[in-house]
């Protein structure tokens, strides 16, 4: 059977609002950069099959939290999805096609699998851009159920959430209001940008500047006004020898962010490029 479906095009994504931006299809578009022969319909079919395999069970359960327990049991127990604790920074953990193939991933890629399957079963699961590891959340009667997709969908209580957030907040645990803000649902755009930032970090640390630059460019396709991505693409261009591109991006970054913490370092890079570090 031919599973092929059309993926969105990069140049169209900035015009879509967050609600219209397709999560799975855009994640597959990110993967298509690295795997140009992938068949996106094959992975859509896998999500449909995962959901179909437990639909009768889920439909027979009334409470959303219990539905989610059954979904997690099926995904992580029966199908074998798991967090890649041994090779966390393997780029394959960020490419959704590899996650479906290997049944291994990082927190955000496993969350996307959870979300896609749960939503097709009528369970409104959202992502959470939690500091550190990405999480998922489900509305329940008395608030939200927060789960860790990297650890088989394990529920997290308020005390553990505060402790997890503490190292990323200067050592202070968030109060109720701050924690509530942190736990707001992440938009599809925010999720996909975080996937690309993860890949940018992995490739940059490995000195693979062509791929790192591509990731920064893709962030700008999703979010054209993202200043960090503009700087990262400019620095990437510098590494791969595209001087005019580096000059244009870094100058624009300084124009938009003249008081950025790294403004002096960026100006020095512009001086090296013969741009004088001036911003008009």
């Amino acid at each position: 059977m031919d599973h092929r479906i059309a993926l969105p095009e990069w140049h169209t994504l900035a015009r879509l609002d967050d609600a219209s931006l397709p999560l799975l299809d855009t994640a597959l578009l990110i993967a298509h950069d690295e795997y140009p022969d992938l068949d996106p319909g094959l992975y859509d079919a896998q999500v449909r099959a995962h959901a179909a395999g437990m639909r009768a069970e889920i439909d027979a359960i009334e409470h959303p939290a219990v539905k989610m327990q059954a979904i997690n049991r099926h995904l992580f127990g029966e199908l074998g999805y798991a967090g890649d604790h041994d090779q966390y920074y393997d780029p394959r953990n960020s490419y959704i096609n590899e996650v479906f193939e290997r049944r291994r991933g990082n927190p955000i890629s496993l969350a996307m699998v959870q979300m896609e399957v749960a939503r097709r079963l009528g369970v409104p699961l959202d992502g959470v851009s939690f500091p550190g590891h990405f999480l998922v959340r489900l509305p329940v009667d008395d608030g939200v159920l927060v789960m860790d997709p990297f650890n088989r969908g394990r529920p997290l209580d308020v005390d553990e959430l505060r402790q997890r957030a503490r190292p990323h907040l200067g050592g202070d645990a968030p109060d109720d209001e701050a924690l509530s803000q942190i736990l707001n649902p992440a938009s599809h755009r925010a999720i996909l940008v975080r996937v690309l930032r993860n890949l940018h970090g992995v490739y940059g640390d490995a000195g693979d500047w062509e791929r790192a630059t591509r990731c920064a460019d893709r962030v700008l396709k999703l979010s054209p006004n993202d200043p960090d991505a503009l700087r990262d693409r400019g620095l990437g261009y510098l590494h791969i020898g595209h001087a005019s591109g580096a000059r244009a991006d870094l100058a624009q970054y300084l124009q938009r962010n003249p008081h950025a913490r790294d403004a002096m370092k960026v100006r020095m890079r512009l001086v090296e490029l013969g741009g004088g570090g001036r911003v008009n």
Side-chain angles (χ1 to χ4, degrees):
M1 180 184 298
D2 185 2
H3 296 287
R4 291 200 174 272
I5 60 174
L7 290 175
E9 297 182 358
W10 280 110
H11 71 273
T12 68
L13 298 182
R15 299 196 298 267
L16 297 178
D17 60 33
D18 288 340
S20 302
L21 188 63
L23 183 61
L24 178 60
D25 286 356
T26 310
L28 287 166
L29 184 63
I30 292 170
H32 186 264
D33 279 337
E34 188 66 18
Y35 303 89
D37 295 325
L38 73 79
D39 177 356
L42 180 65
Y43 303 105
D44 181 77
Q46 284 196 38
V47 174
R48 285 190 277 111
H50 289 350
M54 62 182 114
R55 187 173 302 280
E57 178 185 3
I58 300 304
D59 287 348
I61 299 171
E62 183 175 349
H63 197 278
V66 183
K67 287 178 183 280
M68 200 64 232
Q69 286 179 346
I71 291 170
N72 287 339
R73 184 170 60 249
H74 186 64
L75 289 176
F76 300 111
E78 298 167 16
L79 295 177
Y81 286 95
D84 192 344
H85 293 266
D86 296 328
Q87 299 184 55
Y88 185 86
Y89 295 105
D90 187 327
R92 293 178 297 175
N93 290 327
S94 289
Y95 290 118
I96 196 70
N97 61 315
E98 287 281 9
V99 177
F100 283 119
E101 296 286 352
R102 300 169 61 238
R103 304 288 167 94
R104 292 290 181 274
N106 58 25
I108 195 166
S109 63
L110 292 169
M112 287 192 288
V113 174
Q114 263 187 305
M115 291 164 62
E116 286 292 322
V117 173
R119 289 173 175 182
R120 294 184 195 215
L121 290 165
V123 179
L125 191 65
D126 284 315
V128 176
S129 284
F130 203 81
H133 282 188
F134 197 85
L135 303 174
V136 294
R137 52 167 277 166
L138 177 70
V140 293
D141 295 338
D142 54 350
V144 292
L145 172 65
V146 181
M147 292 161 283
D148 180 358
F150 195 62
N151 289 288
R152 302 172 63 88
R154 183 172 69 83
L156 304 174
D157 63 24
V158 170
D159 289 339
E160 183 170 356
L161 289 167
R162 286 200 173 101
Q163 291 306 313
R164 284 189 176 209
R166 184 191 291 271
H168 305 278
L169 301 175
D172 296 324
D175 59 21
D176 289 347
E177 182 177 355
L179 184 60
S180 178
Q181 290 294 318
I182 293 171
L183 293 175
N184 279 338
S187 70
H188 287 182
R189 181 170 271 102
I191 293 170
L192 294 160
V193 165
R194 185 159 170 167
V195 169
L196 286 162
R197 288 199 194 288
N198 288 344
L199 281 166
H200 176 271
V202 168
Y203 287 134
D205 288 345
D208 188 342
W209 291 108
E210 288 193 4
R211 286 184 170 88
T213 305
R214 181 184 71 196
C215 292
D217 178 72
R218 293 321 197 190
V219 172
L220 290 167
K221 293 293 192 296
L222 284 165
S223 186
N225 296 319
D226 188 305
D228 290 344
L230 187 64
R231 176 205 58 211
D232 291 343
R233 187 177 69 177
L235 294 173
Y237 282 154
L238 188 63
H239 279 286
I240 64 178
H242 181 15
S244 62
R247 190 178 298 113
D249 279 358
L250 296 180
Q252 190 175 4
Y253 172 74
L254 288 175
Q255 188 172 31
R256 294 182 184 180
N257 307 275
H259 304 297
R261 291 184 178 181
D262 59 354
M264 182 59 68
K265 291 182 179 179
V266 173
R267 286 192 178 93
M268 291 302 297
R269 293 300 183 98
L270 275 174
V271 169
E272 295 169 9
L273 285 164
R278 297 186 299 273
V279 180
N280 296 324

